[in-house]
């Protein structure tokens, strides 16, 4: 379970205008096994929020508690071992362009153990098979379509059997067909492994397609949280209504 | 044609010797400069504010040292460091005597080339490596440098060709090499033929360096 407690993040520096994508007092709880969506328009702070969870970004104030452990100030080896429990999938895939799909999937082993064993390599091949890309093991990212590249990134995210997967706009750079294939893969992963997912998106379709719960982020503040059914059938906030296409923007 | 023949008869030994001396200066000094410069470039990249391990003071001091060394005209640097050169390699002349000043001049240049190549690696890929709990050295050696390698190899061509220019300057202080021959025979003695031959050799060398680095970069680049 991930609990975010009163998370704020400001990028303010002397002489700079207050930045977008800041966070203001965000609190939410993501139960184990959930697929939790965070939706908002660009600049709302969604990416900042998800990057705070694996501490690629440090919150200015507030606490991040994972399975009862306060991880907010982790450093060094403790931070690295925490990050291995929380895998991340990026909008731009984040694959290493000079490594093959298989080598990319093996990278987390290298990061964790300093080497890649034969067993690791077999496991990586299984993972590639699981995302339907066994035949692409030797391909470089430039030889893959966007959807294939993102599925390689999903296989990589699964390498260390993470408890949590963070998806930062995982399908935003993809065409509809690739989006569907990536969402299918994510849904299947959640069903098979019980991994908890935090899904950042600006697309209601993504939320509808794979999320159980959803939170709506507007200018760094959480305006609505609940199950997808609840929020979609009875949206309270004007922004939620606008995102659903029922009502006008009030910004 | 016969004048070319007689020119070659007279000077081919000298030119061959000069060519080899130039090559020795070029490759030894560039190799050492890359050992030092790669280290400096990585440190500059890693310690930049917002980098993998930000360290504002170290970054500023190192950047300042690099800029300062690069500001000093090479011919001045060459003379100014002669005591150090003497202490390091025991002589200030010959190929050996040119290595320390060439390295001193090329290493900061290499540092900036490396820093620039590393900066071209997409931020996403490096953050991904970090997000899997890789240590900073692991990110540097297993992700950053391999990703930047094609660009680094292209930088090697730029560096080699610029160091080749410097090896001509060190000819002025008795280092030998093609530059020395061009100055002594071509310039002081008005031997136009020798001048042209040295220039032809240098042109061929520059072309060879550029083409082979381009070829290697292309072969290893999977983007």
């Amino acid at each position: 379970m991930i609990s975010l407690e009163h998370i704020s993040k400001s990028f303010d520096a002397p002489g700079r205008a207050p930045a977008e994508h800041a966070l203001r007092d965000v609190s939410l709880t993501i139960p184990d096994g959930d697929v939790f969506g965070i939706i908002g328009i660009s600049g709302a702070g969604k990416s900042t929020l998800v990057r705070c969870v694996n501490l690629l970004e440090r919150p200015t104030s507030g606490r991040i508690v994972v399975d009862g452990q306060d991880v907010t100030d982790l450093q060094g080896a403790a931070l690295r071992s925490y990050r291995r429990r929380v895998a991340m999938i990026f909008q731009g895939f984040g694959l290493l362009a000079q490594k093959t799909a298989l080598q990319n999937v093996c990278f987390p082993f290298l990061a964790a153990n300093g080497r890649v064993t034969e067993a690791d390599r077999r496991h990586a091949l299984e993972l590639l098979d699981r995302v339907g890309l066994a035949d692409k093991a030797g391909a470089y990212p430039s030889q893959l379509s966007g959807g294939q590249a993102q599925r390689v990134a999903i296989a990589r995210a699964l390498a260390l059997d993470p408890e949590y997967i963070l998806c930062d706009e995982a399908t935003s750079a993809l065409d509809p067909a690739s989006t569907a294939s990536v969402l299918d893969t994510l849904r299947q992963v959640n069903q098979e492994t019980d991994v908890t997912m935090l899904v950042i998106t600006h697309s209601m379709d993504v939320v509808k397609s794979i999320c159980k719960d959803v939170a709506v982020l507007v200018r760094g503040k959480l305006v609505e949280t609940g199950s997808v059914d609840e929020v979609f059938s009875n949206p309270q906030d004007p922004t939620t209504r606008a995102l659903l296409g029922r009502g006008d923007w009030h910004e | 044609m016969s004048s070319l023949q007689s020119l070659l008869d007279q000077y081919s030994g000298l030119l061959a010797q000069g060519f080899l001396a130039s090559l020795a200066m070029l490759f030894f000094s560039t190799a050492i400069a890359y050992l030092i410069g790669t280290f400096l470039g990585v440190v500059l990249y890693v310690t930049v504010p917002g980098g993998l391990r930000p360290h504002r003071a170290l970054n500023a001091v190192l950047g300042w040292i690099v800029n300062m060394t690069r500001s000093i005209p090479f011919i001045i640097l060459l003379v100014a460091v002669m005591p150090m050169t003497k202490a390091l390699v025991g002589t200030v002349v010959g190929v050996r005597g040119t290595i320390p000043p060439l390295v001193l001049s090329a290493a900061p240049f290499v540092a900036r080339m490396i820093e620039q190549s590393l900066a071209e690696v997409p931020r996403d890929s490096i953050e991904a490596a970090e997000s899997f709990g890789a240590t900073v050295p692991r990110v540097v050696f297993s992700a950053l440098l391999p990703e930047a390698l094609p660009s680094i190899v292209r930088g090697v061509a730029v560096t080699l060709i610029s160091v080749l220019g410097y090896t001509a300057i060190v000819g002025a202080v008795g280092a030998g090499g093609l530059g020395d021959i061009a100055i002594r025979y071509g310039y002081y003695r008005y031997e136009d033929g020798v001048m042209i031959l040295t220039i032809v050799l240098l042109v061929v060398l520059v072309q060879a360096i550029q083409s082979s680095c381009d070829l290697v970069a292309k072969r290893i680049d999977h983007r």
Side-chain angles (χ1 to χ4, degrees):
Chain A
M1 189 172 81
I2 298 177
S3 298
L4 304 178
E5 300 176 1
H6 307 290
I7 297 292
S8 293
K9 171 77 186 179
S10 79
F11 296 93
D12 295 349
R16 250 174 54 186
E20 277 196 340
H21 60 262
L23 296 172
R24 290 180 292 164
D25 195 27
V26 173
S27 293
L28 57 87
T29 298
I30 301 147
D32 284 343
D34 200 358
V35 180
F36 196 106
I38 294 177
I39 189 164
I41 58 165
S42 19
K46 312 180 293 285
S47 283
T48 309
L49 185 61
V50 77
R51 290 161 58 84
C52 278
V53 173
N54 68 353
L55 302 165
L56 282 178
E57 207 94 66
R58 298 271 174 177
T60 313
S61 65
R63 299 200 316 154
I64 299 149
V65 180
V66 176
D67 299 333
Q69 184 202 5
D70 184 347
V71 300
T72 325
D73 297 315
L74 288 183
Q75 297 286 351
L79 171 63
R80 291 194 294 274
S81 94
Y82 164 65
R83 279 183 176 159
R84 284 171 206 143
R85 297 165 53 199
V86 186
M88 189 157 181
I89 295 167
F90 297 80
Q91 176 173 4
F93 321 133
L95 296 176
L96 297 168
Q98 309 296 351
K99 295 195 192 315
T100 63
L102 181 61
Q103 287 169 330
N104 268 289
V105 178
C106 286
F107 190 86
F109 301 123
L110 195 62
N113 312 319
R115 65 207 180 92
V116 180
T117 65
E118 201 41 52
D120 291 337
R121 212 165 279 124
R122 272 199 304 277
H123 185 41
L125 277 170
E126 281 165 28
L127 291 170
L128 278 174
D129 190 35
R130 197 144 121 205
V131 298
L133 292 172
D135 56 327
K136 297 286 184 191
Y140 288 91
S142 63
Q143 299 163 320
L144 300 172
S145 72
Q148 289 171 334
Q150 194 59 293
R151 274 144 63 205
V152 170
I154 294 172
R156 176 177 65 173
L158 292 171
L160 298 176
D161 288 321
E163 297 155 54
Y164 305 95
I165 295 182
L166 312 175
C167 303
D168 187 4
E169 298 277 14
T171 57
S172 302
L174 302 178
D175 62 54
S178 302
T179 298
S181 81
V182 166
L183 292 178
D184 280 346
T185 309
L186 287 174
R187 193 184 301 110
Q188 172 205 339
V189 163
N190 172 255
Q191 280 160 6
E192 286 172 5
T193 62
D194 235 25
V195 68
T196 308
M197 290 191 194
L198 184 56
V199 177
I200 300 297
T201 181
H202 61 249
S203 153
M204 273 295 174
D205 292 335
V206 170
V207 172
K208 268 187 260 184
S209 162
I210 61 171
C211 297
K212 292 182 194 129
D213 294 302
V214 64
V216 184
L217 200 63
V218 179
R219 274 180 264 142
K221 267 184 105 65
L222 223 48
V223 296
E224 197 155 1
T225 312
S227 77
V228 171
D229 293 342
E230 254 167 54
V231 172
F232 276 38
S233 59
N234 188 16
Q236 299 299 308
D237 189 87
T239 307
T240 318
R241 283 201 286 273
L243 280 167
L244 282 167
R246 303 174 206 158
D248 296 322
W249 288 103
H250 292 273
E251 307 230 27
Chain B
M1 210 58 222
S2 69
S3 69
L4 177 65
Q5 193 58 51
S6 71
L7 197 67
L8 283 175
D9 286 347
Q10 201 181 346
Y11 290 110
S12 60
L14 180 76
L15 285 169
Q17 203 185 14
F19 188 71
L20 289 178
S22 281
L23 283 185
M25 288 189 270
L26 178 60
F27 287 106
F28 276 124
S29 56
T30 305
I32 302 170
Y34 260 90
L35 288 179
I36 301 169
T38 305
F39 175 76
L40 292 177
V42 168
V43 174
L44 279 169
Y45 175 87
V46 167
T47 57
V48 82
L52 286 170
R53 184 158 297 172
H55 195 302
R56 196 181 286 274
L58 178 61
N59 189 268
V61 169
L62 206 58
W64 186 77
I65 293 172
V66 163
N67 290 345
M68 223 188 61
T69 323
R70 292 192 62 195
S71 311
I72 305 170
F74 179 66
I75 188 92
I76 309 288
L77 185 85
L78 176 68
V79 177
V81 300
M82 275 183 174
M84 185 198 83
T85 305
K86 180 108 184 160
L88 275 176
V89 294
T91 176
V92 294
V93 294
V95 169
R96 223 153 42 121
T98 66
I99 302 290
L102 281 174
V103 168
L104 191 63
S105 166
F109 180 75
V110 171
R112 289 298 186 204
M113 298 290 288
I114 294 281
E115 188 189 15
Q116 194 177 322
S117 291
L118 297 181
E120 286 165 17
V121 177
R123 182 110 187 102
D124 247 13
S125 339
I126 298 312
E127 282 200 328
E130 267 191 290
S131 79
F132 290 105
T135 59
V136 173
R138 173 64 61 200
V139 173
V140 169
F141 288 108
S142 298
L144 199 52
L145 286 172
E147 288 296 296
L149 196 58
S151 162
I152 290 174
V153 170
R154 288 190 186 95
V156 169
V158 177
T159 307
L160 279 172
I161 290 166
S162 117
V163 172
L164 184 62
Y166 291 157
T167 65
I169 300 177
V170 294
V173 296
L178 288 176
D180 180 38
I181 293 170
I183 292 170
R184 279 193 295 137
Y185 292 79
Y187 184 63
Y188 291 143
R189 298 190 197 170
Y190 304 105
E191 296 265 11
D192 291 345
V194 178
M195 177 73 95
I196 290 165
L197 278 177
T198 54
I199 292 172
V200 167
L201 281 174
L202 288 169
V203 167
V204 169
L205 189 54
V206 167
Q207 293 289 353
I209 289 169
Q210 188 67 54
S211 309
S212 47
C213 287
D214 283 350
L215 187 73
V216 172
K218 208 172 161 186
R219 285 286 284 274
I220 61 173
D221 197 347
H222 297 291
R223 273 174 303 179

